[in-house]
Amino acid sequence: MVAGKTSPQALAKTATTPKLPPLPKLRVRKPDRAEANPCIGVMSSVLGCWASQGQAAQGCAVLEQQLRACMDAKRPPVKEKSNINYHLSRFYPQIVGPHKRK
């Protein structure tokens, strides 16, 4: 062991946290991501059935009825737009702290 390399001061210098680059702004990308359409699975089943058995096949009738029921079902109400980016922009000055103006 090398003398002086295990002192608490030497260990503190090597165990410092890495500094992060300055952020121009805080932002969440695409906070209002659209949910997947629930009818996509049934539609892919209908298309697969048509591809394997033909478009007028009787075996696909049940899947076609399920797709019609799914498409005719009432859609859920639209969610309100997320306001997380507004709040992040408000709190950014407290996170960054004071800095020199150019």
Side-chain angles (χ1 to χ4, degrees), residues 35-53:
E35 294 181 19
N37 190 339
C39 300
I40 288 177
V42 180
M43 185 169 197
S44 64
S45 299
V46 169
L47 293 174
C49 184
W50 285 347
S52 64
Q53 296 183 7

Side-chain angles (χ1 to χ4, degrees), residues 2-100:
V2 179
K5 292 292 183 182
T6 59
S7 68
Q9 293 84 11
L11 289 175
K13 285 183 181 179
T14 59
T16 59
T17 58
K19 292 188 178 184
L20 297 174
L23 295 172
K25 58 185 162 184
L26 291 177
R27 189 166 182 79
V28 175
R29 293 182 187 151
K30 299 179 185 176
D32 299 317
R33 206 170 278 239
E35 294 181 19
N37 190 339
C39 300
I40 288 177
V42 180
M43 185 169 197
S44 64
S45 299
V46 169
L47 293 174
C49 184
W50 285 347
S52 64
Q53 296 183 7
Q55 188 172 357
Q58 295 298 324
C60 301
V62 174
L63 291 173
E64 291 173 10
Q65 291 299 325
Q66 288 178 351
L67 180 61
R68 284 191 183 110
C70 182
M71 296 297 283
D72 292 339
K74 190 171 185 171
R75 298 195 65 153
V78 178
K79 289 184 184 178
E80 291 185 20
K81 190 174 179 183
S82 175
N83 57 7
I84 188 165
N85 286 327
Y86 166 73
H87 292 294
L88 286 174
S89 67
R90 277 188 24 207
F91 293 123
Y92 181 68
Q94 284 87 16
I95 294 170
V96 173
H99 59 278
K100 293 181 181 178

